[in-house]
C-alpha cells in the first residue's frame, strides 16, 4: 500500500492533500498518478463513481502544468454543470498551495462573457461542459490550441448525453501532441471508439469491474396530481417492501422535507444534500451503505458520490431542471450486473419531458399506475409470508412453547395463520382501505390540480385565526390540529401558516367534525376560531398563497430538527404512528 509521497507528488500538492485529510491514495489514484506523472502517454481509466477519479487526473495535471505561465494548458471536459463546478472546486483545493494557479469552470446557464473574462485573466486549467466549450470556441472566447493535457471525465455519460459531436469538434481545436486521459465508469462501444480515434496507444487501467452498462435499468413513470406526489412516493415504497433506493428531489429544501416526512411516517429514510455538514453526510452515507437506510433522499450534486452497488430503485420525486441529469440519476441503480428500476413521479405539466428524456437515453418509458391500496396490502402480505417462510427458527423460544401451545390449544392451524398475518395486515389494511386512486389520465384537464390549492369538490379549505405569531409553523400547526381533531396524518393537507392566521384542508366529510370541535374553543386562554375559507373554489388570492407555500416548501420548519439522521422513528403516540405500519429492513 503506497502513500501519496510514494506516488511522486510535490510538496505543494502533498500539503493540499494533508489539508483535505486524504490519508492514502485510492486504487485508481495509486494506479494512475505515477503513470501520468512519469509519461506523456494517453490513458484510459475505468473506475466506478466515487473511486476518486478527480484526484487521479487532477494531481498529475497540477504537477505537470506550468503555473508561472498564464496559457491554458489543461482542459477537462465533464458532462454536467454540477460536475464541472465540483471538479473545479476540488482542483482549487488540491492546488491551494500552488501560488498563481487559476482554474476556471465553464458551463451553460451562466454568463458566457463573465466566464470568458475569467479565462482571459489567465486560466491554466479549464473545466468545461462540451456544449458551452464549443460555444466559446466558435465565439473565439477561448484559446485551447496550446493544451497539453485533455481529460474526458465521465466519458460514457458524456456520450450518453449526446455530446459526441461536440467533443469531436472541441478536440479538433487542440494540438495533436497533447496527452489525452479518458476516465469512465463503463466502456461501451462508443467510448472505445473515442479512445481509438482520438488517442494514441493509450495505457489502460481498470479498477473493479469492467464494462457495466445501464441497459439493465428499466424506466417507468407515474402520472399524478402535483399535490399527491408524496402519497405516490409512499405507495411506490410500500409496493416494494425490499426497496433500497435513492430518491431525487430538485432542491436541498425539498430533499430535507421529503426525508423528514418519510422518517416521521416510519420509513428508514435519510437526507443527503449540501447543507449538511461533512460529518452528517458521512453518517447518512454509512447508514445507507449498511442498508440501515432504505430510502436515501438526495440532491443531484450530493448523490454524485454514491458508490453503492445494490440500489434497487431510483425514484425521481421531481424531474431535474436539466433533463440530461436524468441519466446520472438512473445510473445509480442497475450497477454491478444487477437490474434496477428508475421511476419518475410526474405531474401533468411536466409529462412532456418524458418524451425528451426518452430521446436522450434512447430508451422507452413504461407508463405505470400507482398501485392502489389493496394491491399494496397484498404485496406486503406476501412479502411477510415469504419472510416468515425463510426465517430461521430461534430456539430460545422453545422454553415458552408450552404456554404458547396452551394458549392456542383450540386454534386450528388455518385460524392461527390467519390471526398471525392479521397482526401485520390489519395495520396496512386500515391505512389503505380508504386510499384513493392517485392516477391521473393522460388526457384529462389540469384544472383539478390547480383547484386543489383551495377547496375542491372533495375537500374543504378552512381559515384559522392562529399563525406564526402564535408560534406555529405549518408542521406544528398540522400536529396541533391532528391532535385536537384526532385525525390521521393524511386527513389534513395544505396547511399553510401566515402571520396571524392560517389555512388548511380536510376531506369534505370531515367538515362538520372540524367546525364542531372549534366552536367556542380556547387555546392558551384565547378563542381559536375556524371557518370555511371563502376561497373555496380556488380563488386567486388563496391559490397564490398555496403556490407560495409550495415553492417555499418546508423552509419554515425549525432548523435544528433532524439533519436527515438515520433510522429515526416516528414519535410514539403520534396519531399516524398507529395507523402506518413501522418499517423494518429485510
Ligand atoms: P469519482 O470522480 O471517481 O466519482 P471523486 O473524485 O468525485 O470520485 O471522489 C469522491 C469523493 O472521495 C470526493 O469527496 C473526494 O474528495 C473523496 N476522495 C478522493 N480521493 C480520496 C482519498 N484518497 N482519500 C479520501 N477521500 C478521497
Ligand atoms: Mg468524477
Amino acid at each position: 500500500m503506497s502513500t501519496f509521497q510514494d506516488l511522486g507528488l510535490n510538496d505543494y500538492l502533498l500539503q493540499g492533500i494533508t489539508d483535505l485529510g486524504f490519508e492514502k491514495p485510492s486504487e485508481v489514484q495509486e494506479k494512475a498518478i505515477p503513470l501520468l506523472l512519469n509519461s506523456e502517454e494517453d490513458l484510459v481509466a475505468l473506475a466506478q463513481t466515487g473511486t476518486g477519479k478527480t484526484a487521479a487526473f487532477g494531481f498529475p495535471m497540477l504537477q505537470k502544468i506550468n503555473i508561472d505561465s498564464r496559457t491554458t494548458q489543461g482542459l477537462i471536459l465533464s458532462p454536467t454543470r454540477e460536475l464541472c463546478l465540483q471538479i473545479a472546486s476540488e482542483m482549487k483545493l488540491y492546488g491551494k498551495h500552488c501560488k498563481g494557479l487559476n482554474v476556471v469552470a465553464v458551463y451553460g446557464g451562466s454568463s458566457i462573457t463573465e466566464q470568458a473574462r475569467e479565462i482571459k485573466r489567465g486560466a491554466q486549467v479549464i473545466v468545461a461542459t462540451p456544449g458551452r466549450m464549443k460555444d466559446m470556441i466558435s465565439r473565439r472566447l477561448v484559446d485551447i490550441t496550446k493544451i497539453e493535457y485533455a481529460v474526458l471525465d465521465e466519458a460514457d455519460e458524456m456520450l450518453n448525453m449526446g455530446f459526441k459531436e461536440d467533443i469531436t469538434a472541441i478536440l479538433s481545436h487542440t494540438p495533436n501532441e497533447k496527452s489525452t486521459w479518458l476516465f469512465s465508469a463503463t466502456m461501451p462501444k462508443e467510448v472505445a471508439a473515442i479512445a481509438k480515434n482520438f488517442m494514441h496507444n493509450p495505457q489502460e487501467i481498470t479498477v473493479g469491474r469492467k464494462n457495466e452498462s445501464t441497459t439493465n435499468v428499466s424506466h417507468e413513470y407515474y402520472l399524478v396530481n402535483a399535490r399527491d406526489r408524496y402519497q405516490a412516493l409512499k405507495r411506490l415504497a410500500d409496493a416494494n417492501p425490499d426497496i433500497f433506493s435513492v430518491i431525487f428531489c430538485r432542491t436541498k429544501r425539498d430533499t430535507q422535507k421529503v426525508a423528514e416526512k418519510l422518517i416521521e411516517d416510519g420509513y428508514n429514510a435519510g437526507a443527503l444534500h449540501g447543507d449538511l455538514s461533512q460529518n452528517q453526510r458521512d453518517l447518512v452515507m454509512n447508514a445507507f451503505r449498511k442498508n440501515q437506510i432504505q430510502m436515501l433522499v438526495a440532491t443531484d450534486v450530493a448523490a454524485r458520490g454514491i458508490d453503492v452497488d445494490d440500489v434497487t430503485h431510483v425514484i425521481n420525486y421531481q424531474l431535474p431542471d436539466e433533463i440530461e441529469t436524468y441519466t446520472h440519476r438512473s445510473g445509480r441503480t442497475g450497477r454491478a450486473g444487477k437490474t434496477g428500476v428508475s421511476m419518475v413521479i410526474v405531474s401533468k405539466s411536466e409529462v412532456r419531458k418524458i418524451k425528451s428524456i426518452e430521446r436522450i437515453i434512447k430508451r422507452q418509458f413504461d407508463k405505470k399506475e400507482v398501485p392502489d391500496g389493496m394491491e399494496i396490502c397484498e404485496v406486503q402480505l406476501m412479502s411477510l409470508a415469504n419472510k416468515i417462510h425463510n426465517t430461521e427458527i430461534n430456539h430460545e423460544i422453545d422454553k415458552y412453547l408450552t404456554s404458547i401451545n396452551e394458549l392456542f390449544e383450540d386454534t386450528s392451524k388455518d385460524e392461527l395463520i390467519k390471526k398471525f398475518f392479521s397482526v401485520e395486515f390489519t395495520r396496512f389494511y386500515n391505512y389503505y382501505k380508504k386510499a384513493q386512486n392517485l392516477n391521473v389520465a393522460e388526457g384529462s384537464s389540469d384544472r383539478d390540480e390547480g383547484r386543489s390549492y383551495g377547496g375542491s369538490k372533495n375537500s374543504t379549505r378552512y381559515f384559522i385565526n392562529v399563525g406564526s405569531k402564535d408560534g406555529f409553523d405549518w408542521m406544528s400547526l398540522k400536529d396541533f390540529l391532528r391532535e385536537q381533531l384526532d385525525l390521521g396524518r393524511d386527513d389534513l393537507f395544505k396547511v399553510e401558516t401566515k402571520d396571524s392566521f392560517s389555512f388548511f384542508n380536510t376531506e369534505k366529510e370531515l367538515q362538520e367534525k372540524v367546525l364542531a370541535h372549534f366552536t367556542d374553543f380556547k387555546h392558551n386562554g384565547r378563542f381559536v376560531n375556524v371557518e370555511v375559507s371563502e376561497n373555496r373554489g380556488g380563488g386567486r388570492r388563496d391559490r397564490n398563497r398555496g403556490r407560495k407555500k409550495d415553492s417555499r416548501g418546508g423552509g419554515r420548519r425549525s432548523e435544528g430538527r433532524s439533519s436527515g439522521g438515520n433510522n429515526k422513528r416516528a414519535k410514539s403516540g403520534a396519531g399516524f404512528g398507529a395507523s402506518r405500519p413501522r418499517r423494518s429492513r429485510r
Side-chain angles (χ1 to χ4, degrees), residues 207-223:
V207 172
R209 301 150 300 259
K210 205 168 172 175
N211 215 1
E212 282 173 38
S213 92
T214 47
T215 49
N216 40 1
V217 176
S218 54
H219 303 265
E220 304 175 346
Y221 75 94
Y222 297 82
L223 186 59

Side-chain angles (χ1 to χ4, degrees), residues 54 153-154 304:
T54 317
D153 190 30
E154 310 246 1
R304 193 189 46 88

Side-chain angles (χ1 to χ4, degrees), residues 4 17 20-26 28-29 47-57 59 83 86-87 90 94 153-154 278 304-305:
F4 280 108
I17 289 169
L20 278 161
F22 292 1
E23 282 165 12
K24 53 180 197 307
S26 69
V28 69
Q29 291 160 7
Q48 292 297 306
T49 305
T51 49
K53 294 192 286 293
T54 317
F57 61 73
F59 287 128
L83 278 168
Q86 183 73 33
I87 293 168
E90 290 250 323
Y94 301 162
D153 190 30
E154 310 246 1
Q278 186 61 47
R304 193 189 46 88

Side-chain angles (χ1 to χ4, degrees), residues 21 108 143 158 178 271 276 320 366 418 456 485 506 523 541 571:
D143 176 13
M158 287 201 285
K178 71 179 177 304
L276 303 174
D366 287 330
K418 282 182 191 163
S456 74
L485 295 160
T506 71
H523 175 65
R541 274 180 59 214
K571 288 175 290 260

Side-chain angles (χ1 to χ4, degrees), residues 201-271:
N201 293 324
Q203 311 223 40
E204 221 186 273
I205 58 178
T206 303
V207 172
R209 301 150 300 259
K210 205 168 172 175
N211 215 1
E212 282 173 38
S213 92
T214 47
T215 49
N216 40 1
V217 176
S218 54
H219 303 265
E220 304 175 346
Y221 75 94
Y222 297 82
L223 186 59
V224 301
N225 282 322
R227 75 159 236 226
D228 290 331
R229 229 179 254 284
Y230 179 70
Q231 294 305 325
L233 172 65
K234 285 202 326 186
R235 289 212 198 162
L236 294 176
D238 287 343
N240 294 282
D242 288 330
I243 196 167
F244 181 54
S245 58
V246 183
I247 294 150
F248 286 96
C249 293
R250 219 174 336 214
T251 64
K252 295 178 208 167
R253 203 166 265 180
D254 286 344
T255 301
Q256 182 69 19
K257 194 172 77 176
V258 169
E260 285 185 12
K261 279 169 134 183
L262 286 170
I263 291 165
E264 238 184 76
D265 286 353
Y267 295 83
N268 299 326

